[in-house]
Amino acid sequence: MTLAIPASSTTRKIILDTDPGSDDAMALMLALNSPELDVRAVTVVPGNVTAKQGLENALRMVSLANRCDIPVAAGAQHPLFQKLITAEFWHGKNGLANIELPPSKCKVDPRYGPDLIIEMVHAAPHEITLVPVGPLTNIALAVERDPSIVPLVKEVILMGGSITGGNSTAAAEANIYNDPEAAQIVFQAGWPLTMVGLDVGDKTLLSSKYLDQIGQTHGPVNDFIYQVAHYLIDLSAQFGFNGTPMYDPLAVGVAIDATLVKAPPMHVEVETRGEFTRGETVANRHGAVERNVLHGDRYMVEGLDKVEPNAKVCTEVDADRFLQLFVSRIRGK
Ligand code: RIB
Ligand code: CA
């Protein structure tokens, strides 16, 4: 019987918005087994799998963890404007590495995900951290439905984006690519935002060295995560990686311990119109743009105009320290 970790005043209250998703599964189980975090709700967004499949997966996972006390709510059924792009190619037919968990003992929360976010933020002003690890559709809808939540959210720590090239396309990371308009709303909202992108996820590879440590112990969560990670490591090996990138779990890791990463402030815009760059997170590393002034038939550069940062962009990570933390939280659960 897994007892809920009692929340204390020093724990960080989070809402995990997820498209589960195999690395989402590792992120959720890390969050549920970390005393630093108090998971107040799980909201489901379509991405890796459909909204329906994602909701089923989320319910089965909180049931496996014996956490039916946590509200699990459905959210958007599709991106704001474009068709959904699902990724069973990477995550398995059911989105959970083809692992069949037992039917859930938990019941879905009847509230609409974006409304649940709004309700919880107003109920605990300046205390809730949003941790989106899928497309940003639900977060954008929450802002659109009630912009007054922006100054009341403690922080947004999201898995998404990249300033060193994409994984879905040459320019775009999958979560952003699956709903660029939603991402632009979230990046421009004006709240404290940390972007945990491919730049650090691709440096944080769970290899068989760490998997073997999880394989030495047992428990329902331990064994589930072992199977998920084993599937992902095998898949990654087919594409030449020595381990599986811990994209979503690392975002949870940053919520646990921000010292795991270096995250300089930058101004980030999300491209929504580029023929080759739609979904790119375009970061201004210098914090300024040239001022071009028209003189006759040409412009002349006449100075620099400051560009205010709107995000902390993770550029470096202590990968081994995070991976050891992850293994320590999962072993034996
Ligand atoms: O690009 C990686 C992201 O896309 C992760 O969140 C993964 O789960 C997928 O949603
Ligand atoms: Ca995800």
Side-chain angles (χ1 to χ4, degrees):
M1 166 72 182
T2 310
L3 296 174
I5 298 168
S8 73
S9 57
T10 57
T11 52
R12 183 193 282 261
K13 292 183 177 69
I14 74 165
I15 294 175
L16 186 75
D17 188 71
T18 175
D19 59 334
S22 48
D23 62 324
D24 303 67
M26 296 197 282
L28 174 60
M29 294 309 181
L30 173 61
L32 295 180
N33 289 282
S34 294
E36 302 86 347
L37 301 181
D38 173 10
V39 180
R40 305 298 298 153
V42 173
T43 51
V44 178
V45 66
N48 288 324
V49 290
T50 62
K52 182 169 181 284
Q53 183 66 56
L55 179 62
E56 179 61 26
N57 291 345
L59 286 167
R60 289 189 180 215
M61 288 195 284
V62 292
S63 179
L64 181 75
N66 267 324
R67 294 301 307 276
C68 288
D69 59 299
I70 296 175
V72 175
Q77 298 299 300
H78 51 73
L80 295 184
F81 299 107
Q82 72 183 37
K83 284 194 185 316
L84 176 63
I85 306 166
T86 56
E88 293 86 352
F89 176 82
W90 297 111
H91 295 269
K93 281 200 187 58
N94 70 352
L96 289 183
N98 298 318
I99 297 158
E100 204 55 44
L101 289 176
S104 181
K105 305 183 294 288
C106 312
K107 294 275 170 283
V108 64
D109 186 292
R111 290 169 286 188
Y112 179 51
D115 289 340
L116 178 56
I117 290 169
I118 292 166
E119 184 183 320
M120 288 196 157
V121 168
H122 281 295
H126 310 295
E127 294 183 39
I128 302 282
T129 297
L130 304 180
V131 183
V133 292
L136 292 163
T137 317
N138 283 339
I139 313 302
L141 286 167
V143 171
E144 295 283 281
R145 293 163 82 91
D146 183 357
S148 75
I149 65 167
V150 170
L152 303 179
V153 166
K154 180 184 175 71
E155 186 177 5
V156 177
I157 301 174
L158 64 85
M159 191 284 136
S162 171
I163 62 172
T164 50
N167 57 357
S168 283
T169 70
E173 177 280 325
N175 286 338
I176 311 299
Y177 190 60
N178 224 333
D179 199 337
E181 285 76 14
Q184 178 66 341
I185 289 168
V186 172
F187 273 86
Q188 306 318 318
W191 40 24
L193 188 151
T194 299
M195 179 178 120
V196 187
L198 302 182
D199 317 284
V200 287
D202 283 335
K203 295 173 189 166
T204 310
L205 303 182
L206 186 86
S207 62
S208 49
K209 176 179 97 170
Y210 299 96
L211 181 67
D212 292 348
Q213 295 172 39
I214 298 174
Q216 290 159 3
T217 48
H218 290 288
V221 170
N222 182 119
D223 298 349
F224 168 58
I225 293 301
Y226 178 85
Q227 294 176 76
V228 169
H230 198 298
Y231 167 93
L232 288 171
I233 290 170
D234 285 355
L235 184 65
S236 301
Q238 292 172 36
F239 293 88
F241 283 91
N242 175 29
T244 185
M246 296 290 270
Y247 299 127
D248 294 349
L250 184 56
V252 171
V254 173
I256 293 168
D257 179 358
T259 69
L260 286 165
V261 294
K262 283 195 171 45
M266 300 183 194
H267 184 86
V268 178
E269 296 279 348
V270 178
E271 178 59 71
T272 56
R273 290 197 292 248
E275 182 181 351
F276 305 109
T277 55
R278 176 167 163 78
E280 180 174 8
T281 45
V282 184
N284 188 315
R285 293 162 177 75
H286 313 294
V289 291
E290 291 180 343
R291 187 183 323 117
N292 299 328
V293 178
L294 189 60
H295 291 271
D297 65 348
R298 75 174 197 276
Y299 287 90
M300 292 175 70
V301 177
E302 291 197 356
L304 290 172
D305 291 329
K306 192 167 165 33
V307 176
E308 282 305 316
N310 58 356
K312 292 192 288 185
V313 177
C314 296
T315 54
E316 292 176 52
V317 56
D318 187 340
D320 182 58
R321 185 156 68 92
F322 166 72
L323 292 164
Q324 289 189 44
L325 179 143
F326 175 77
V327 170
S328 72
R329 298 297 162 85
I330 297 298
R331 274 170 61 95
K333 296 294 170 43

